[in-house]
Amino acid sequence: MIRKIFNIKMPKGYDKGIHAAIIFLNLFGLLMILSANMTSIATRKSLTIIFVKEIAFIVASYYIMVQAARNFSFKAFGKHYMKILIGIMGLLFLTMAFPSVRGARAWIRIGKITIQPSEFAKVFVILLMAYFLGDKQKVSTKVKSMWKLAKTPIVIVLIIVGFVTIAQKDLGSAVVIAGITYVVMLVPSNLAMSKAQRVMFTLLVIGLILMFWVTTPKGVAMIDKLPIPSYMIDRFRISANPFTNRYDNGYYQIFNGIVAFVKGGLLGVGYGKGFIKYSYLPEAENDAILAVVIEELGMIGFSFLLILYGIVIYRLLKMAFKVKFEKEKMVLVGTVAYIMIHFVFNVGGITALIPLTGVPLLFISAGGSSRMAIMLAIGLSQSVISRHKALEQKKVKHV
């Protein structure tokens, strides 16, 4: 038992390309977090503490990934999903006991350690939808409506999204959770869902177009008439024209983020030599870390990131087309959706292409919860890949 707990060897058949890419992404993130903290108030001691803390998060995340890759099974998840749900909801409710940060109450603080439960909810909804909706072709001949088939996971997701939006006031996380769920629901091929999936796909395309249109003057004018909080409307105004008032609190981060992009150019000003992080860029190590990357390493540094992200996404999608079972396919597609939604929202927000949502750049931004959650998702995907390759090898031997 002890040997099993401390085993950090990946299972046979895991994807080495994905594994290498996420290791490079985590190490790149570590270097950029250190750089983002190299300011006038930084000391050798403070930087050492940050380094040790982030290394600890990376090691813990790697361990979580390996254990998920080695031990995950849908049978065990089906047995314990209600316990996991109660645990996640309990943690989400617990955030209400802690002070809000920038209007949101999404964190649990224990000393200097911060936990954001909504990050783990993103992984949970992938498994939830896969467990309830995957490989249900036979059931679909008896069940004629999508609602009868999907009501349990949909209600659970709506409760999570509603709590994160209304109670925690963390719109960014709520949108990511809803987005992941939406994409994963497009995967199952059962007849009960086919009509709804066609409508959902059409709405997805329209939604993507609207996401960019609402940042135009006409889009902002339409949003302004809707009964939504003023702080949300302000995000659309800022994206429409981030240069309106560079000193206003809402415009400040976007304006300086764009300045960092311009300064960085092709090659950047050099690692650790960026200036925009010196109080000009709030949350430099978190939501706005991409601005630090591009100012210091230029578009070359950004291209390196794109290549690593591209390797992970390409190889996950490639395996999604190969795996036999829909549950496994949904895990792989859900992980891709998780990564891509975060990437689009983070990059789009800091460049003012879409409203700023405050979601981190996965693997790169500081934050133990987001790092552990995405590494858990990668571990689940590696478990799927390993199992698929093991089945393929058995078939070859039988032939």
Side-chain angles (χ1 to χ4, degrees), residues 106-362:
W107 297 272
I108 297 169
R109 282 179 168 73
I110 306 170
K112 292 186 177 181
I113 298 173
T114 304
I115 302 168
Q116 189 173 3
S118 58
E119 291 296 331
F120 299 99
K122 296 169 186 176
V123 184
F124 175 72
V125 298
I126 296 173
L127 297 178
L128 185 74
M129 302 310 289
Y131 177 73
F132 276 95
L133 302 181
D135 305 297
K136 301 289 184 180
Q137 289 88 346
K138 290 180 181 179
V139 175
S140 66
T141 59
K142 299 177 183 178
V143 179
K144 299 299 181 183
S145 78
M146 173 183 160
W147 177 246
K148 286 184 179 179
L149 185 66
K151 64 180 178 181
T152 299
I154 288 175
V155 168
I156 291 172
V157 171
L158 287 176
I159 290 170
I160 293 172
V161 170
F163 187 84
V164 172
T165 305
I166 298 168
Q168 291 193 335
K169 292 183 171 58
D170 185 4
L171 182 62
S173 292
V175 171
V176 174
I177 293 168
I180 292 170
T181 303
Y182 198 94
V183 172
V184 171
M185 285 183 68
L186 295 173
V187 176
S189 60
N190 57 69
L191 296 173
M193 294 186 65
S194 58
K195 185 177 179 181
Q197 284 172 328
R198 287 194 291 270
V199 175
M200 288 172 67
F201 184 78
T202 303
L203 291 175
L204 178 63
V205 174
I206 294 170
L208 290 172
I209 295 169
L210 282 175
M211 184 170 66
F212 292 98
W213 181 78
V214 291
T215 59
T216 64
K218 289 184 179 180
V220 173
M222 184 195 76
I223 292 291
D224 205 16
K225 296 176 183 177
L226 299 177
I228 58 177
S230 58
Y231 76 90
M232 291 185 183
I233 297 173
D234 286 340
R235 294 185 181 185
F236 291 95
R237 291 197 186 101
I238 294 166
S239 294
N241 187 356
F243 305 104
T244 300
N245 183 1
R246 58 177 288 190
Y247 297 107
D248 182 85
N249 188 44
Y251 292 82
Y252 192 73
Q253 184 168 349
I254 299 295
F255 177 84
N256 286 302
I258 294 172
V259 170
F261 278 53
V262 174
K263 283 182 65 183
L266 181 63
L267 299 175
V269 298
Y271 177 75
K273 297 178 180 178
F275 182 72
I276 211 75
K277 62 194 176 188
Y278 285 81
S279 302
Y280 295 97
L281 198 62
E283 304 299 326
E285 65 172 5
N286 293 315
D287 308 340
I289 199 165
L290 183 65
V292 178
V293 171
I294 294 184
E295 184 190 15
E296 296 186 355
L297 305 180
M299 291 307 295
I300 296 295
F302 183 58
S303 298
F304 178 69
L305 269 185
L306 280 179
I307 290 168
L308 293 175
Y309 269 108
I311 290 170
V312 175
I313 290 169
Y314 169 75
R315 297 188 75 87
L316 286 173
L317 287 176
K318 184 180 178 182
M319 288 306 302
F321 283 104
K322 288 184 177 182
V323 295
K324 181 181 178 182
F325 301 106
E326 282 183 352
K327 284 184 175 68
E328 297 179 342
K329 194 184 297 288
M330 292 170 79
V331 169
L332 295 172
V333 171
T335 303
V336 169
Y338 184 3
I339 294 169
M340 289 193 68
I341 290 170
H342 265 262
F343 185 83
V344 170
F345 281 6
N346 185 276
V347 176
I350 201 67
T351 55
L353 291 174
I354 60 175
L356 190 66
T357 52
V359 299
L361 186 61
L362 294 176

